[in-house]
């Protein structure tokens, strides 16, 4: 084992090893990029998320849905014009970068391309 490898950020295990471009912890199976690569990735600055018309979104904003959205398990969908308060920006799956709670539907993730900042 290489003594120059950092401990695991998840469990602080010291038995980390390299697997390709990643570091792996055998104790908790956590995988991450080395600090040098992560510093290069954040050199571009924080990711900017914009709404459908180009306004920059931030955590806690209130947005309006700009088009009717279908929701699985619901006979009606989220109608255009529905206000969503106190959004949280996340690095979601498949382009869903807003985590929120929609009245009448509960917690869900939305794409920033279907909302407009109020």
């Amino acid at each position: 084992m290489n003594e120059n490898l950092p401990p695991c950020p998840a469990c602080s295990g010291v038995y980390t090893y390299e697997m390709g471009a990643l570091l792996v912890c055998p104790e908790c199976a956590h995988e991450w990029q080395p600090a040098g690569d992560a510093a290069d990735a954040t050199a571009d600055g924080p990711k900017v998320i914009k709404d459908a018309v180009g306004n920059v979104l931030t955590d806690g904003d209130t947005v309006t849905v700009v088009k009717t959205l279908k929701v699985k398990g619901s006979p009606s969908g989220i109608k255009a014009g529905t206000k969503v308060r106190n959004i949280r920006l996340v690095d979601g799956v498949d382009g869903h970068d807003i985590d929120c709670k929609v009245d009448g539907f509960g917690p869900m993730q939305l794409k920033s391309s279907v909302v407009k900042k109020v």
Side-chain angles (χ1 to χ4, degrees):
M1 279 183 272
N2 188 350
E3 294 180 17
N4 295 331
L5 295 176
C8 175
C11 71
S12 300
V14 295
Y15 300 109
T16 58
Y17 62 91
E18 292 182 25
M19 184 173 72
L22 297 175
L23 295 177
V24 180
C25 175
E27 296 176 25
C28 69
H30 180 70
E31 299 178 353
W32 72 99
Q33 290 187 342
D37 294 343
D40 294 341
T42 57
D44 298 336
K47 184 177 176 185
V48 176
I49 297 176
K50 296 183 179 184
D51 66 1
V53 293
N55 297 323
V56 176
L57 297 172
T58 58
D59 286 346
D61 281 345
T62 299
V63 295
T64 304
V65 178
V66 296
K67 70 179 209 174
T68 302
L69 303 172
K70 294 180 183 177
V71 178
K72 282 186 178 179
S74 173
S76 64
I78 300 174
K79 297 190 188 255
T82 302
K83 276 192 178 181
V84 180
R85 293 179 177 82
N86 199 19
I87 65 169
R88 198 178 63 183
L89 302 178
V90 295
D91 190 22
V93 178
D94 209 22
H96 294 83
D97 45 12
I98 296 175
D99 196 20
C100 61
K101 187 188 290 187
V102 179
D103 291 337
F105 292 95
M108 64 176 47
Q109 290 189 339
L110 299 173
K111 293 183 178 182
S112 59
S113 60
V114 297
V115 299
K116 182 176 87 169
K117 189 173 179 177
V118 177

